[in-house]
Amino acid sequence: MTAKPLLEVRDLRVGFRTGGAETPILHGLDFAVNPGEIFAIVGESGSGKSVTAMSLMGLLPRASARIDAGRALFEGEDLLHLPPERLRAIRGSRIGMIFQEPMTSLNPVLSIGRQMTEAPVAHGRASRRDAARLAVEMLERVGIPEPARRPRQFPHEFSGGMRQRVMIAMAMMMRPSLLIADEPTTALDVTVQAQILGLMRDLVRETGTSMILITHDMGVVAEMADRVMVMRHGRIVEAADTASLFARPTQPYTRDLLAAVPRIDGDTPAPGPARKTAPPVLRLDTITKSFGGARPALAAVSLQIAPGEILGLVGESGSGKSTLGRAAARLTEVDGGTVTLEGRDITRLRGSRLREVRAGVQMIFQDPYSSLDPRLRIGRTIAEPLAIHAGLRGRLARARTGELLAQVGLDPEMADRFPHEFSGGQRQRIAIARALAAKPRLIIADEPTSALDVSVQAQVLDLLGRLSVERELAFLFISHDLSVVRKMARRVAVMRAGRLLEIGPTAEVLGDPRHAYTRALIAAAPIPDPAQRDRLTRAAPPGEYPDGPLRQVGQDHWVAA
Amino acid sequence: MGLLTIFATTVAVTLLIHLVPGDPVQIMYAQSQGTTPEQLEAIRHSLGLDQPIVFQYLHFLGRLLHGDLGYTIRGHQAVLDVVLQRLPNTIALAVTALAIAVAIGLPMGFAAAYWQGSLLDAGLMILSIGGIAIPSFWLGLMLMLFFAVDLGWLPVSGTGPLNILLPAFTLGLSNAAIVARMTRSSMIDVMSQDFVRTAEAKGLPRSTILVHHVLRAGLVPVVTMLGLQFAFMMGGAVVVENIFAWNGVGRMAVDAIFQRDYPLIQGFILSFTVVVVFVSILLDTVYALIDPRIRRS
Amino acid sequence: MPSNASPTPDTAANSAANTSAPVRRIARRPFWLRVLGTVNGAIGGAIVFVLILSAALAGWIAPYPPAKMAVGGRFGLPQAAHPLGTDEFGRDLFSRIVFGSRLTLTIGAIAVGISLIAGLAVGLTAAYRRGWVETVLMRSSDVLFSFTETLIALACVAVLGPSLQNAMIAVGIAGIPFYARTCHSAALVEVSKPYFEASVAAGAGHARLVFVHLLPNVFPTMVVVATLGVSSAILAAAGLSFLGLGAQPPDPEWGLMLSGAAHYLNRAPWLMVVPGLSIAVTVLGFNLLGDAIRSAMDPRRQG
């Protein structure tokens, strides 16, 4: 593009003070954003992508952060060296911003209308009355039903997706020439994400607003961006237009990053040896569970897992997938139905009998930071199941702990360290080692890689897949991410609102989905391939789906009618 | 919750007399010379202590519903009358003290949070940590020494409109320090919330952000705290009333404990609880006005 | 806040995103150095240290027995033989203050001991057992808590009768609801964490769950509560003694000494200064120390 850029950043350097020393976070960034384009900044955690946005807005934490050098020319003014009052006049009116957490980004004690109108009024752009009228128009534009009565409502009366729409409406109130969106859809379910992304793209196109989109998700980049800048450790790895970056990445880091992203149109694991005859390691029969809400968390869910099989379980938030996993491990008591582990009904077991059978099924959790007792050396954490079930202590336990650490790819010498000395990926490996220590036949993995960077995720997924094959270990692999499930599981189950909607071989369910909800999930999943970008469905999915009893539509393939 | 508390109190005060090691009737009358065993037996009967405890409790409840709390051991007055005569004094003291504590503590805490990390913040917090450490009875005596004895501006003790100032300031100053600390931490907590960053990103002036967003949201926990503070004031009144000879239920309670006047002690505990529960119900209504999440549900 | 049902998948991704870079092995300063290295910690630690010293060595430090009358004249002003003067019975004030520190520390330790042990037992049991046990225990704590500590302490004294020992017990009992609530909420956080559930899933028994996982992770919170609690226990007990409901003459208890001095407000106002100041400084010391421990434990401030 030859037009003068809207925003031109030169040699941006930012440091954070921790204790006495200053750690550089951004090491001199140069980039430009052109009028009307969507410019994505993508990177893993610690890349400095959010810090970049915050420094442009003057929103860095005052106490600890310092801009050491650089210029950021925006419509002729240097954002980094403006007096605070001038910068404040630009914020909100000429640069709008949308944040990641819709649940906490709105003030809970002020009405939506109040929060939407206060900025135009404060900037002297509109009278209170005009701003109120504009607010209703904007709410309608972002697709909120009954916009006229919404301004009187409070944030807690809106769902997460609706709140993010309100945030977008609020940011666009004054038609800013630049919109900065920091992980705007990361906290949202995938079907909601698709709608919000579509909305943002339409809005900026319609108004000619430029957008800086900050994200960790290559799929989102491919769906949205005109140009991409890849960041790592506070430096630019490479920047290019989206199509050529995905087609011909020049840097090895970009190539690795793209290769690590699981794809919903990718490969499924090759079919293993048929084990039809073996009795299932886990059988759930018409499990029901209610937490006292209007609808049950689980409504008569049945499924089984064969020895050594990985069953993927996908669903959005509130689908009951985690509750199902916990019920299978007897961490949540069920209201009805039976849990059968290796042919033994464990639904009503208590006390020491229950503790004995617990060794057979272990769990891996999502959050690597709270998965390990912070006060125990990791060797002791891993040895806990050994002490409980095998009575192993002392040197024997130590030797076995070392073996387990080696199996998950860690140095056995690390057994004497505390959890805070490890990274997220390493902690997740430790949690896997602990699960293996009990010699289970089944592991319930509840979003085991959702908190990890994509490159770390790929390694952990490989480890889990390898363990499953080597030890004939079965997995219930719970995830919100169809692409990850596709990579891991030969069979997949889809849940929504406490009910099982579709279950069958992964290739078949994802290749030829028979349930409307499965189709909606697949359609909403972003694909890291700019060539397929207009595939995303924008239409709000129906609120109701068929959720009756399952009927068979193919070999091992069942769908709710 | 309020009803549960009052119910628990009625049970507790019935049991109270039975928890006393030894014979309560003998202890009660130990100080009056020459009470014969027959008289003691009659008293036991009149207090209902010779009946099964469940019956005693039901009897107690029955009388309570008719506003009958029994008679004091010393002077044989109706307990309800004695309590009601003094309760307004204690409430007046607690309310004045709470007003003082809030009037001083709230702005202090807000200012400290606003200029967080500044010298003013450090100074205010040193002041408040010192304020918390000073015992109210000592502060009371010092204030009395200074304003009443040395300067002669205020009456030393007694009950009256001008007399309330010293005890109320004693109680208020002690608690202002706590209010200041709680306000500060609540405000600082709110300032680090995402929605404040949203307000900054909208380009609102700092004063608007602080008054409309931070103060409004930060008040929610502060109001919750006020109910607790009022209860503290009622408790603190026990000590302060005794220093300044303020004729409230706290002073009455200490005398009653000395004299082992159990019906009067029962009356004190019941009236205290009823007032505290009533105030917390009142504050729940205020709370609902500030916090829309509660208002609508 | 504990969340039930299924969590939103990506919220943890958000919180973890900032920190999943490899963590270097940091040689951290020992905990006590971090506490005493702060201004608050240093001052608080020094005050508490002096108190303990004075309590332990009272017999050597104090020039006279605390209750011995007429060692000097009545209402003597401070002088070389009596650095803080003498009281209405001609007792040496300095000796009484020194011996008083022994009583004060004993009161603090015993009262907090009662509150802490009972509070831990109630809080841990409630959080671990859940169900009706939790409902009953925590509802009772809530009710007792709304009675306020003063009322509970007064009721206890009313039942047990006024004495120093009973005052300690009363203050200790009065503190239980607060300790139980704090312990309960801290324990609830731990119980809902994955590491605890992983241990349940591994088949750990009650003893292991409570004593290996729960107690050590709740304990730091309770240490802070207990340290700060020493100050409020000392204040409360001194208040009872001041009212005549705690320590009885001739005990050199600071609150009791104040109430004695109050009778001679006109004649010897200086008698009030030292006991009051002693209480204030002691309370300040434990508060500062508690604050310092809390900041040293706060993960946000750890370097």
Side-chain angles (χ1 to χ4, degrees):
Chain A
M1 275 184 217
T2 49
K4 194 168 174 295
L6 176 72
L7 171 74
E8 196 176 0
V9 177
R10 287 284 160 260
D11 194 35
L12 174 60
R13 291 171 189 273
V14 173
F16 271 66
R17 263 198 316 272
T18 44
E22 187 174 305
T23 326
I25 298 294
L26 299 181
H27 307 265
L29 304 186
D30 297 283
F31 63 92
V33 180
N34 295 316
E37 79 171 343
I38 300 180
F39 180 78
I41 303 180
V42 66
E44 296 187 298
S45 52
S47 61
K49 55 190 192 297
S50 287
V51 173
T52 308
M54 292 298 170
S55 23
L56 295 179
M57 290 290 274
L59 292 177
L60 288 173
R62 274 175 268 273
S64 55
R66 217 182 69 193
I67 294 173
D68 295 321
R71 278 183 307 139
L73 285 180
F74 171 76
E75 295 181 341
E77 289 174 291
D78 183 358
L79 295 175
L80 303 183
H81 297 99
L82 278 182
E85 272 307 295
R86 287 286 307 139
L87 184 60
R88 187 179 68 69
I90 293 178
R91 279 206 302 257
S93 69
R94 285 154 64 197
I95 305 180
M97 190 153 183
I98 302 168
F99 300 97
Q100 172 173 355
E101 274 300 326
M103 303 314 273
T104 53
S105 291
L106 289 166
N107 190 332
V109 301
L110 296 181
S111 70
I112 293 297
R114 170 69 184 277
Q115 294 187 62
M116 288 185 71
T117 54
E118 61 184 350
V121 173
H123 285 285
R125 292 284 205 85
S127 69
R128 208 166 273 282
R129 179 182 304 223
D130 290 344
R133 200 175 311 125
L134 182 61
V136 175
E137 269 172 37
M138 286 308 297
L139 286 172
E140 181 162 24
R141 177 61 195 88
V142 298
I144 287 184
E146 302 178 69
R149 68 183 185 90
R150 299 296 180 173
R152 284 188 307 277
Q153 292 187 319
F154 288 87
H156 70 275
E157 297 171 70
F158 293 75
S159 68
M162 284 295 172
R163 287 190 208 193
Q164 204 61 314
R165 286 175 192 266
V166 171
M167 284 295 292
I168 294 170
M170 200 159 82
M172 296 299 288
M173 281 285 278
M174 281 179 275
R175 295 285 161 108
S177 40
L178 177 64
L179 183 66
I180 301 179
D182 188 357
E183 303 269 8
T185 56
T186 305
L188 303 174
D189 275 331
V190 61
T191 51
V192 182
Q193 161 169 292
Q195 299 163 37
I196 297 286
L197 290 179
L199 170 67
M200 290 201 305
R201 196 161 65 188
D202 291 351
L203 259 182
V204 294
R205 290 279 182 263
E206 192 178 296
T207 54
T209 301
S210 304
M211 178 157 91
I212 298 180
L213 175 68
I214 294 161
T215 181
H216 69 283
D217 187 336
M218 279 296 188
V220 169
V221 174
E223 298 287 352
M224 297 288 288
D226 300 316
R227 283 196 306 132
V228 199
M229 175 168 100
V230 181
M231 283 184 70
R232 187 189 193 200
H233 300 333
R235 292 196 168 82
I236 298 173
V237 175
E238 68 177 301
D241 69 274
T242 309
S244 52
L245 184 109
F246 278 81
R248 293 173 301 279
T250 59
Q251 298 298 315
Y253 176 71
T254 315
R255 275 198 291 274
D256 292 348
L257 203 58
L258 285 170
V261 181
R263 296 173 62 129
I264 194 164
D265 53 353
D267 298 327
T268 8
R275 297 189 45 98
K276 276 278 110 180
T277 48
V281 60
L282 175 77
R283 223 178 90 189
L284 303 177
D285 276 310
T286 59
I287 298 287
T288 57
K289 173 73 189 175
S290 169
F291 289 111
R295 56 170 185 78
L298 292 175
V301 179
S302 305
L303 52 79
Q304 40 183 294
I305 302 177
E309 180 190 33
I310 300 182
L311 173 66
L313 178 59
V314 291
E316 296 184 290
S317 52
S319 62
K321 58 188 192 301
S322 289
T323 310
L324 187 73
R326 296 169 51 82
R330 279 293 312 270
L331 286 173
T332 296
E333 299 295 315
V334 296
D335 299 337
T338 54
V339 181
T340 313
L341 188 68
E342 296 188 279
R344 184 174 178 190
D345 182 353
I346 63 163
T347 325
R348 307 274 166 240
L349 283 190
R350 307 204 133 268
S352 59
R353 306 258 298 281
L354 174 61
R355 286 201 288 277
E356 275 164 37
V357 304
R358 278 193 185 287
V361 45
Q362 292 293 299
M363 284 208 69
I364 303 170
F365 298 89
Q366 172 178 1
D367 179 9
Y369 293 89
S370 53
S371 277
L372 306 172
D373 189 332
R375 302 202 169 261
L376 295 186
R377 294 177 196 281
I378 61 144
R380 209 160 151 218
T381 291
I382 297 172
E384 187 167 56
L386 301 175
I388 295 168
H389 295 290
L392 275 190
R393 277 171 219 289
R395 194 164 342 133
L396 279 177
R398 220 187 134 70
R400 182 82 187 100
T401 306
E403 282 168 34
L404 287 164
L405 277 172
Q407 277 168 22
V408 296
L410 293 174
D411 182 357
E413 296 300 312
M414 290 173 168
D416 287 328
R417 298 195 185 172
F418 286 97
H420 70 260
E421 299 173 48
F422 294 90
S423 69
Q426 287 173 321
R427 288 186 212 203
Q428 215 55 331
R429 287 170 187 270
I430 296 165
I432 294 168
R434 169 182 54 198
L436 293 177
K439 295 204 170 136
R441 309 291 303 138
L442 168 71
I443 288 184
I444 317 271
D446 189 354
E447 304 268 7
T449 58
S450 304
L452 305 177
D453 274 329
V454 60
S455 54
V456 182
Q457 160 171 294
Q459 297 162 10
V460 172
L461 291 179
D462 283 347
L463 172 65
L464 291 178
R466 190 163 51 78
L467 288 170
S468 169
V469 173
E470 283 173 11
R471 308 182 151 224
E472 206 184 48
L473 183 55
F475 278 88
L476 177 61
F477 189 91
I478 302 169
S479 179
H480 69 286
D481 188 340
L482 272 176
S483 321
V484 172
V485 167
R486 165 151 217 152
K487 184 175 173 182
M488 289 299 290
R490 232 168 270 139
R491 213 153 61 90
V492 62
V494 179
M495 278 186 78
R496 182 179 179 276
R499 287 171 197 276
L500 197 58
L501 298 185
E502 182 161 5
I503 182 167
T506 309
E508 213 173 300
V509 171
L510 297 188
D512 177 23
R514 304 297 289 269
H515 197 280
Y517 180 67
T518 316
R519 283 196 290 273
L521 275 184
I522 294 170
I527 296 181
D529 179 2
Q532 297 191 36
R533 85 163 31 161
D534 284 315
R535 191 190 49 93
L536 273 195
T537 45
R538 306 280 178 68
E544 293 294 320
Y545 288 97
D547 59 357
L550 296 178
R551 67 186 165 80
Q552 191 161 13
V553 293
Q555 197 189 354
D556 284 338
H557 190 169
W558 299 71
V559 173
Chain B
M1 186 66 206
L3 284 179
L4 187 68
T5 306
I6 291 175
F7 166 74
T9 315
T10 59
V11 176
V13 296
T14 317
L15 288 176
L16 184 73
I17 204 161
H18 292 274
L19 292 171
V20 178
D23 179 359
V25 176
Q26 248 174 20
I27 292 174
M28 276 190 263
Y29 286 89
Q31 287 159 5
S32 8
Q33 299 296 311
T35 318
T36 64
E38 292 73 33
Q39 280 172 312
L40 284 182
E41 205 47 50
I43 292 159
R44 204 184 308 276
H45 182 72
S46 76
L47 288 172
L49 288 175
D50 51 352
Q51 284 155 343
I53 190 147
V54 177
F55 188 80
Q56 280 182 42
Y57 177 65
L58 293 176
H59 186 64
F60 176 78
L61 271 191
R63 285 193 301 142
L64 195 64
L65 291 177
H66 293 96
D68 178 5
L69 287 173
Y71 293 88
T72 63
I73 305 287
R74 314 265 165 249
H76 210 71
Q77 291 166 286
V79 168
L80 189 68
D81 292 346
V82 177
V83 168
L84 283 186
Q85 193 195 337
R86 292 153 200 245
L87 197 56
N89 289 338
T90 301
I91 293 174
L93 177 59
V95 169
T96 316
L98 186 63
I100 292 170
V102 171
I104 296 172
L106 208 65
M108 254 177 78
F110 190 66
Y114 189 114
W115 288 286
Q116 190 193 347
S118 71
L119 272 178
L120 178 85
D121 179 23
L124 286 176
M125 284 307 106
I126 288 173
L127 207 64
S128 84
I129 204 165
I132 290 172
I134 292 173
S136 63
F137 41 93
W138 189 46
L139 179 68
L141 288 174
M142 298 307 252
L143 289 178
M144 181 195 270
L145 184 65
F146 193 65
F147 288 102
V149 179
D150 282 1
L151 293 174
W153 289 355
L154 293 168
V156 173
S157 60
T159 313
L162 204 56
N163 299 60
I164 201 172
L165 285 179
L166 278 182
F169 265 96
T170 303
L171 211 48
L173 287 178
S174 295
N175 286 280
I178 300 174
V179 174
R181 276 178 79 85
M182 286 181 160
T183 307
R184 176 178 182 269
S185 66
S186 169
M187 294 298 164
I188 287 177
D189 202 41
V190 172
M191 282 179 199
S192 66
Q193 302 268 314
D194 287 349
F195 65 76
V196 173
R197 189 183 56 185
T198 307
E200 284 180 1
K202 283 194 287 192
L204 299 181
R206 193 161 151 79
S207 58
T208 312
I209 296 176
L210 283 165
V211 174
H212 291 162
H213 287 266
V214 176
L215 190 60
R216 184 71 195 279
L219 272 184
V220 175
V222 170
V223 168
T224 322
M225 174 193 78
L226 285 185
L228 211 57
Q229 280 296 314
F230 181 80
F232 285 160
M233 299 287 178
M234 291 285 292
V238 174
V239 171
V240 173
E241 284 176 5
N242 275 281
I243 302 173
F244 295 97
W246 181 259
N247 196 15
V249 289
R251 186 152 162 254
M252 174 197 86
V254 173
D255 290 342
I257 292 174
F258 276 127
Q259 296 168 349
R260 300 285 179 139
D261 196 333
Y262 286 101
L264 198 51
I265 296 174
Q266 288 180 333
F268 164 70
I269 294 176
L270 263 178
S271 61
F272 187 102
T273 314
V274 169
V275 171
V276 168
V277 166
F278 179 75
V279 168
S280 76
I281 290 172
L282 207 69
L283 279 172
D284 280 349
T285 341
V286 178
Y287 195 70
L289 286 178
I290 306 181
D291 195 337
R293 284 165 293 192
I294 293 171
R295 196 189 312 162
R296 301 275 171 125
S297 57
Chain C
M1 225 175 275
S3 66
N4 50 12
S6 55
T8 323
D10 295 294
T11 40
N14 168 32
S15 63
N18 308 321
T19 31
S20 63
V23 181
R24 275 154 286 136
R25 191 164 188 176
I26 311 155
R28 289 201 299 172
R29 294 154 72 203
F31 181 74
W32 281 107
L33 262 180
R34 275 186 291 140
V35 171
L36 297 177
T38 61
V39 179
N40 281 0
I43 299 176
I47 292 174
V48 172
F49 179 71
V50 168
L51 271 169
I52 293 174
L53 214 63
S54 131
L57 306 176
W60 283 279
I61 298 174
Y64 304 96
K68 188 163 185 205
M69 298 198 193
V71 294
R74 299 179 65 205
F75 302 117
L77 281 169
Q79 50 188 285
H82 305 288
L84 297 176
T86 53
D87 69 3
E88 67 268 26
F89 296 111
R91 294 176 294 202
D92 179 49
L93 196 58
F94 177 67
S95 304
R96 288 178 67 71
I97 293 288
V98 168
F99 273 95
S101 66
R102 211 174 249 190
L103 289 180
T104 300
L105 284 187
T106 313
I107 293 166
I110 290 181
V112 167
I114 294 173
S115 309
L116 182 63
I117 290 169
L120 271 174
V122 171
L124 288 179
T125 310
Y128 183 70
R129 285 293 310 274
R130 311 303 302 263
W132 65 268
V133 177
E134 181 180 36
T135 311
V136 169
L137 286 177
M138 293 332 291
R139 275 278 138 172
S140 321
S141 292
D142 288 346
V143 167
L144 283 172
F145 187 72
S146 67
F147 279 2
T148 75
E149 299 192 2
T150 316
L151 190 70
I152 300 173
L154 282 179
C156 290
V157 172
V159 168
L160 299 170
S163 82
L164 179 60
Q165 187 192 333
N166 291 346
M168 293 183 209
I169 296 171
V171 171
I173 292 175
I176 295 173
F178 177 70
Y179 285 69
R181 281 163 56 121
T182 315
C183 173
H184 176 243
S185 50
L188 270 189
V189 172
E190 300 303 325
V191 165
S192 65
K193 279 188 186 166
Y195 78 80
F196 190 85
E197 299 208 305
S199 190
V200 173
H206 301 308
R208 174 182 289 272
L209 287 171
V210 172
F211 293 106
V212 175
H213 295 291
L214 205 46
L215 191 58
N217 280 293
V218 167
F219 207 68
T221 310
M222 297 311 287
V223 166
V224 173
V225 170
T227 313
L228 295 171
V230 172
S231 349
S232 48
I234 288 173
L235 267 182
L240 286 177
S241 295
F242 177 82
L243 293 174
L245 300 174
Q248 301 297 322
D251 280 347
E253 206 281 339
W254 295 340
L256 182 64
M257 288 162 71
L258 259 183
S259 85
H263 294 297
Y264 306 99
L265 198 61
N266 290 314
R267 189 163 170 191
W270 68 87
L271 280 184
M272 271 178 17
V273 176
V274 182
L277 209 58
S278 305
I279 299 174
V281 169
T282 305
V283 170
L284 184 70
F286 280 102
N287 276 341
L288 290 175
L289 191 61
D291 264 1
I293 295 177
R294 176 164 42 202
S295 340
M297 281 175 180
D298 189 344
R300 282 172 297 183
R301 298 191 206 176
Q302 273 177 20

